[in-house]
Amino acid sequence: MVFPLQVTGAETRRRGKVLVGPVSLHLAGVGATVVIGPNGSGKTSLLGLLHGTARLHAGTIAWQLPMDQARAVQSFVFQRPVMLRRSVVDNIAYPLLIRGLPKAKAMAQALDWAKRVGLGDMPYRAAPSLSGGEQQKLALARAFITAPQVVFLDEPCASLDGRATAEIEAILQDQKAQGTRLVMSTHDMGQARRLADEIVFLRGGQVHETGPAAQFFDAPQTDAARAFLNGDIVE
Ligand SMILES: Nc1ncnc2c1ncn2[C@@H]1O[C@H](COP(=O)(O)OP(=O)(O)OP(=O)(O)O)[C@@H](O)[C@H]1O
Ligand SMILES: [Mg+2]
């Protein structure tokens, strides 16, 4: 198990500018952590930092395994999924193939996952021709097929309609119930309420408030969190 994760004074910069940090967080091993905050507050940067794709310039990020081994049990779903110019099942099978699974086994599992995410009637379609919602479902199947311990999702439902969002949330709830640890960002406070066990509210690249989701939504402790939940403009 890669959890708990202890983050202490972690910071990432770009050309001298701090994108996020210093951030200190403790993430326990179960449930969903949802990262919220205004545009530019550092949500994407924080997810990249935790996953190890953004460079750590200061502080420490301590998984229970070395970062390369921790990365191997994680998946990352981008806001805009990247599709290979191949079929749906080829895309879903890809992480298994690069891990050395025999092709027939990988394809069988990919077909199964295509069905689980609602793409069972289009397994051989060219992935780039899918709609945005369908591509996002493909990205989820590709993220979950390796049975990761942690899945990072950066605004996985941005630009999707209510129905596609509900379908994707159902997949996330199901995976969460099966013990997959989720760490996701969203702008959708309804989604945050539905999925989060714990909230990290970022502001200006730093953790402004964090706590159990019920507590955060019912009784936010800071003026900025109250204003943000109220829909007011928070810089
Ligand atoms: N590649 C980059 N080069 C320079 N600055 C960057 C880069 N990526 C992000 N930033 C800056 O870092 C800060 C945090 O950006 P980040 O994308 O993490 O925020 P965010 O909370 O995900 O925003 P959004 O809600 O718009 O997705 C912003 O000020 C942004 O302009
Ligand atoms: Mg972002």
Side-chain angles (χ1 to χ4, degrees):
M1 185 67 182
V2 284
F3 282 97
L5 165 66
Q6 184 64 48
V7 180
T8 310
E11 198 170 301
T12 188
R13 302 181 200 131
R14 196 96 177 207
R15 293 192 205 91
K17 179 183 178 274
V18 175
L19 305 193
V20 70
V23 165
S24 296
L25 281 173
H26 179 85
L27 296 197
V30 288
T33 299
V34 175
V35 182
I36 61 174
N39 286 131
S41 59
K43 300 180 296 295
T44 299
S45 305
L46 177 62
L47 296 183
L49 198 51
L50 300 184
H51 183 51
T53 43
R55 187 155 160 226
L56 182 67
H57 286 91
T60 55
I61 294 184
W63 296 96
Q64 299 302 308
L65 294 173
M67 190 54 119
D68 57 333
Q69 290 175 37
R71 276 271 284 286
V73 295
Q74 302 176 1
S75 298
F76 199 106
V77 176
F78 297 96
Q79 185 172 348
R80 289 182 188 189
V82 184
M83 303 283 111
L84 301 173
R85 296 184 173 282
R86 297 187 200 156
S87 74
V88 167
V89 278
D90 281 336
N91 271 270
I92 299 175
Y94 185 72
L96 296 180
L97 293 173
I98 57 174
R99 281 169 166 77
L101 208 77
K103 175 128 192 190
K105 272 194 176 162
M107 292 311 256
Q109 285 189 37
L111 197 54
D112 182 46
W113 262 103
K115 288 178 190 147
R116 284 167 78 173
V117 299
L119 300 176
D121 54 351
M122 55 186 87
Y124 304 111
R125 276 264 301 275
S129 75
L130 299 180
S131 75
E134 290 162 352
Q135 290 196 14
Q136 204 54 271
K137 289 180 200 164
L138 188 162
L140 288 184
R142 196 169 52 188
F144 286 114
I145 197 168
T146 54
Q149 291 183 31
V150 197
V151 178
F152 292 97
L153 306 111
D154 191 14
E155 301 196 36
C157 301
S159 79
L160 302 187
D161 67 15
R163 180 169 174 185
T165 298
E167 287 169 352
I168 283 172
E169 284 183 14
I171 297 165
L172 295 179
Q173 295 280 22
D174 183 44
Q175 290 303 306
K176 191 177 116 172
Q178 291 182 35
T180 309
R181 186 71 166 85
L182 304 179
V183 183
M184 68 180 281
S185 69
T186 185
H187 271 108
D188 177 346
M189 288 308 105
Q191 177 164 74
R193 283 172 192 269
R194 289 187 293 273
L195 289 174
D197 297 295
E198 173 185 54
I199 293 287
V200 174
F201 173 53
L202 291 182
R203 195 182 171 208
Q206 302 199 339
V207 178
H208 194 75
E209 185 169 338
T210 184
Q215 182 186 311
F216 181 87
F217 288 115
D218 294 347
Q221 301 293 300
T222 59
D223 289 343
R226 267 191 293 278
F228 188 73
L229 288 177
N230 217 13
D232 297 345
I233 292 170
V234 175
E235 301 290 337

